[in-house]
Amino acid sequence: MYNLIRGISENGAVSFCAVDTTEIVREAERIHKTSAVVTAALGRLLTAASMMGIALKNKNDSVTLRINGGGPAGLLLAVSDGTGCVKGYAQNPVVEGLPPRADGHLDVGGAVGIFGMLSVVKDMGMKEPYVGQVPLVSGEIAEDITSYYAASEQTPTVCALGVLVDKDLSVMAAGGYLIQLMPGADDEDISRLEKNISKIKSVTEMLEAKMSLEEIMNTVLDGFSPNVLDTKLAEYKCGCNESRIERALISLGKDELEKMKAEHDDIEVKCQFCDKAYVFSAEKLLLEIKSNF
């Protein structure tokens, strides 16, 4: 079972990645209880992060996408590991009152805003992570990802992202694809790709029509005879656990924990990615610090 594929054209000129994130976005909506437009915005960012994560060299590497465009949704964050599994959150999960765009679609750009930056942080186990930043183009996210690749990685890229939300706020379909030109691409390859993109349906329309990821790849890369390189199962996955949270609290130090103890005997920490709550005894944490010295 898989929901993410990567492929390449027969001539090696064009690479392709596609992911069906319907279940991922449903899980994000369940955890964060997002309104429709925030579900669409966060879902698009999670989809992009998953495809960028699978391009990392090692499964323990990670990529973090951070957008704060000044819109009512506030900060949006998505993190993927090297297997394409993702987690994320929105600072303001409920945004209401935004009218739909002229084409009837949710106004993701209005919720995200355009007065800010897209930050991409890649942690690949080196001393310092790679950090790239580009100004937001539209806040619609796909165009902003395309802009990032052009400016920060000098890679001609087409990014398509979509989340279809029903009237009852349920996620009907979500996914996306990334197309990138390889160094050997020529003008004929570029023209053929542009022609294909100009006539295909949106990614959510294709997913809602029950097209497989291979069928989507063959449609987008019509005439390129693409081959599937690998397949993966990408999920919404948070790696938080009690011991990790405990270490983080202990790292705050004796003075800070004593301040917290003065307010409450127990300290509750809620994970921003999965909403799971952890409760610790402030007294026990202080004893743990004392025993280490």
Side-chain angles (χ1 to χ4, degrees):
M1 182 179 177
Y2 61 90
N3 61 346
L4 188 153
I5 70 168
R6 290 195 295 169
I8 194 166
S9 62
E10 189 174 47
N11 66 356
V14 185
S15 68
F16 180 87
C17 180
V19 60
D20 180 343
T21 53
T22 304
E23 293 302 325
I24 289 173
V25 181
R26 284 174 179 166
E27 180 65 2
E29 188 277 331
R30 184 193 68 80
I31 292 169
H32 300 298
K33 298 176 175 55
T34 45
S35 63
V37 71
V38 180
T39 297
L42 181 59
R44 291 182 190 181
L45 198 65
L46 288 167
T47 301
S50 180
M51 293 188 290
M52 295 172 75
I54 201 67
L56 299 170
K57 291 184 178 180
N58 301 306
K59 65 179 183 179
N60 293 325
D61 294 345
S62 69
V63 59
T64 300
L65 305 185
R66 184 181 187 276
I67 286 181
N68 194 344
L75 171 68
L76 295 172
L77 190 75
V79 183
S80 175
D81 62 19
T83 69
C85 290
V86 290
K87 58 185 178 181
Y89 73 90
Q91 183 180 9
N92 301 318
V94 177
V95 172
E96 296 176 336
L98 281 178
R101 300 185 326 193
D103 58 9
H105 292 157
L106 293 168
D107 188 5
V108 171
V112 173
I114 60 172
F115 302 106
M117 307 289 288
L118 164 65
S119 299
V120 178
V121 181
K122 294 182 181 180
D123 188 344
M124 296 175 284
M126 303 178 74
K127 276 189 174 183
E128 297 291 335
Y130 163 84
V131 181
Q133 281 192 328
V134 292
L136 293 176
V137 175
S138 67
E140 294 284 337
I141 301 178
E143 295 92 336
D144 304 303
I145 296 294
T146 297
S147 173
Y148 160 77
Y149 275 109
S152 295
E153 299 194 11
Q154 291 77 52
T155 304
T157 300
V158 174
C159 178
L161 304 169
V163 177
L164 186 60
V165 183
D166 206 350
K167 292 180 179 179
D168 64 358
L169 302 185
S170 64
V171 178
M172 299 173 66
Y177 58 79
L178 276 175
I179 312 166
Q180 295 186 315
L181 293 176
M182 307 301 282
D186 57 24
D187 290 342
E188 184 179 345
D189 294 320
I190 295 171
S191 296
R192 180 182 297 161
L193 188 59
E194 288 176 342
K195 183 179 179 181
N196 289 351
I197 293 170
S198 69
K199 64 182 182 182
I200 61 175
K201 296 179 179 179
S202 71
V203 64
T204 49
E205 287 178 302
M206 290 189 281
L207 288 171
E208 196 180 18
K210 305 302 181 185
M211 289 178 64
S212 69
L213 295 177
E214 288 86 351
E215 288 172 331
I216 292 174
M217 180 177 72
N218 289 328
T219 299
V220 176
L221 298 187
D222 183 35
F224 285 95
S225 302
N227 298 303
V228 175
L229 294 175
D230 61 2
T231 61
K232 299 286 184 182
L233 175 60
E235 301 174 288
Y236 190 102
K237 184 184 293 186
C238 179
C240 73
N241 57 57
E242 187 171 351
S243 62
R244 184 176 295 177
I245 303 289
E246 183 180 49
R247 290 196 301 271
L249 286 171
I250 290 172
S251 71
L252 294 175
K254 179 174 175 288
D255 292 344
E256 187 63 30
L257 285 173
E258 284 182 339
K259 289 179 185 177
M260 297 170 77
K261 183 178 182 298
E263 296 178 3
H264 299 284
D265 290 333
D266 290 331
I267 300 171
E268 181 178 290
V269 178
K270 187 171 285 190
C271 177
Q272 61 189 358
F273 293 112
C274 69
D275 209 34
K276 185 176 180 179
Y278 296 88
V279 179
F280 300 90
S281 164
E283 184 65 33
K284 287 184 178 180
L285 292 173
L286 287 165
L287 286 173
E288 184 70 25
I289 290 177
K290 185 177 179 180
S291 68
N292 290 332
F293 289 93

